Amino acid sequence: MSGLDKDRDILMITSIIFSKDRALQLDLTLKSIKQNFPQSNNLMVIYTVSEEHAKSYELLASEHEGVTFYKQTTSLFLDISKAVDESQEYVCFFTDDDIVYSKVTLNKENLCNLFKSGAACLSLRLGLNTNMRDYGDGILREDPFPRIESMDPFLVWNRTSIPVGGYWSYPLSVDGHIFEKRTIQLFCKELAVLDKHYSYQGVRREKYCWQQTPNEFESKLQRFWFDLPPIMGAFKASSVVNSPNNRVQESTLNRHGDVYSLDQNTLLEKYTNGHRIKLENLKINNIKCPHTEIDILKGLQ
């Protein structure tokens, strides 16, 4: 086999991770991707920081050679569009409180066949184990579940066959969903253009402008829900969990810290004092919901 043929068989996935004021948590996210999602061989971080957190990100960047760090500008939507332009054949989004907690077994042929079959995305946060959802009141209830079919090694289903609003009908997530670059690239370019129209001569009109947060990006992505094919894919068991231990923005009041509440400034102190979270020390199992608080300090060293 020639070198060119070998290159054609290599799976090229770029992971774009959004981060703010969470160096310790981001360090865990990056390490978990490197350890359990090696098919993502290109990592980019788009970050914004408060003044007191700035040095921690400089340290973090020095500890993660090969990871590209982009400081967020006045238009996150444009930043994302540029990052996707620089990405490889496939793009996966993460936030800095995501953890790739188990091995992702994936090859180029399988992923290519999934998208050729008409899939909108491959979700790493879904699996037969994730059949519960918290609808904002702290109570886990059964999530509307579709009829599942097998497309070895994946599960596939028609997201339009179940009510809108559940995880299984929600392809445009930034928590561990893999997209074809050519598809997500068009969406990101359109959002970047639209975001520009919400400013006037470079000055944002607060009454009308989009918030420059990953939550807002995910929210605006939903305009393309009908532009995607109806099929979604996942493995039989999830490999990504979002651990909402804290909230670092006030524009979207995400539920957080119900079980293991962690202040980001306290975590900053631990990080600057040399502590790191070791993935192997975390016992992450029995995940029933893609958003499940993990006692991440149990992994602190």
Side-chain angles (χ1 to χ4, degrees):
M1 181 181 291
S2 68
L4 181 59
D5 289 333
K6 288 181 180 179
D7 289 342
R8 287 173 180 167
D9 290 333
I10 296 174
L11 184 53
M12 308 292 280
I13 301 176
T14 294
S15 287
I16 299 174
I17 306 102
F18 304 111
S19 186
K20 179 183 179 183
D21 291 354
R22 286 178 174 154
L24 186 63
Q25 289 161 277
L26 175 58
D27 178 69
L28 174 61
T29 300
L30 292 172
K31 287 177 178 175
S32 74
I33 294 172
K34 292 175 180 178
Q35 179 173 320
N36 286 330
F37 187 25
Q39 301 88 347
S40 180
N41 46 22
N42 182 27
L43 305 183
M44 301 181 185
V45 175
I46 301 177
Y47 72 98
T48 182
V49 287
S50 304
E51 184 177 352
E52 59 271 26
H53 288 262
K55 289 186 178 179
S56 68
Y57 275 70
E58 293 176 7
L59 177 57
L60 186 67
S62 71
E63 292 181 350
H64 286 275
E65 293 184 10
V67 178
T68 304
F69 284 76
Y70 292 109
K71 191 168 184 181
Q72 185 176 319
T73 69
T74 56
S75 175
L76 173 61
F77 292 87
L78 182 58
D79 298 336
I80 295 169
S81 182
K82 289 180 177 179
V84 171
D85 284 345
E86 296 174 12
S87 296
Q88 301 177 116
E89 190 174 0
Y90 299 95
V91 176
C92 187
F93 293 113
F94 291 100
T95 58
D96 57 8
D97 49 359
D98 285 333
I99 305 169
V100 186
Y101 70 92
S102 66
K103 285 284 186 184
V104 177
T105 305
L106 186 62
N107 63 49
K108 185 170 185 177
E109 181 181 4
N110 289 337
L111 188 59
C112 184
N113 287 340
L114 178 69
F115 282 107
K116 281 183 177 179
S117 72
C121 68
L122 174 64
S123 174
L124 301 181
R125 72 174 183 171
L126 294 179
L128 295 178
N129 56 298
T130 57
N131 57 2
M132 306 295 285
R133 182 180 178 89
D134 178 353
Y135 282 86
D137 57 6
I139 301 173
L140 286 179
R141 297 180 176 85
E142 286 191 6
D143 203 20
F145 206 71
R147 176 184 174 183
I148 300 291
E149 297 182 9
S150 177
M151 182 181 168
D152 193 50
F154 306 116
L155 307 175
V156 293
W157 65 95
N158 187 332
R159 62 186 171 91
T160 66
S161 66
I162 54 176
V164 175
Y167 291 120
W168 292 82
S169 63
Y170 193 78
L172 290 161
S173 167
V174 297
D175 289 318
H177 279 202
I178 301 173
F179 304 94
E180 285 187 295
K181 174 182 176 177
R182 61 185 179 181
T183 298
I184 203 69
Q185 187 176 31
L186 293 174
F187 298 165
C188 292
K189 284 185 180 297
E190 182 171 326
L191 292 180
V193 171
L194 289 172
D195 181 56
K196 186 177 180 180
H197 285 289
Y198 283 84
S199 64
Y200 179 70
Q201 293 183 346
V203 179
R204 292 191 171 273
R205 297 171 289 180
E206 292 300 324
K207 185 178 179 180
Y208 305 105
C209 73
W210 292 355
Q211 299 294 322
Q212 301 301 304
T213 65
N215 298 90
E216 186 84 335
F217 170 63
E218 182 175 287
S219 173
K220 299 310 180 190
L221 273 177
Q222 305 317 309
R223 71 190 291 120
F224 305 108
W225 194 90
F226 291 101
D227 295 317
L228 287 171
I231 302 302
M232 291 177 62
F235 289 101
K236 292 180 181 178
S238 68
S239 55
V240 170
V241 66
N242 177 270
S243 180
N245 301 103
N246 48 33
R247 188 176 68 224
V248 293
Q249 48 76 35
E250 297 300 323
S251 60
T252 304
L253 301 181
N254 295 328
R255 195 173 189 92
H256 66 286
D258 291 333
V259 184
Y260 303 110
S261 180
L262 301 173
D263 175 69
Q264 61 265 28
N265 292 318
T266 301
L267 297 182
L268 170 64
E269 182 179 356
K270 293 183 181 299
Y271 182 80
T272 54
N273 286 335
H275 296 288
R276 302 293 182 268
I277 298 169
K278 190 173 182 179
L279 181 61
E280 291 79 3
N281 291 349
L282 298 179
K283 305 301 180 184
I284 304 178
N285 49 43
N286 197 28
I287 299 297
K288 297 179 180 180
C289 175
H291 291 83
T292 300
E293 285 185 46
I294 308 298
D295 186 4
I296 59 174
L297 290 189
K298 279 192 174 180
L300 204 66
Q301 286 191 325

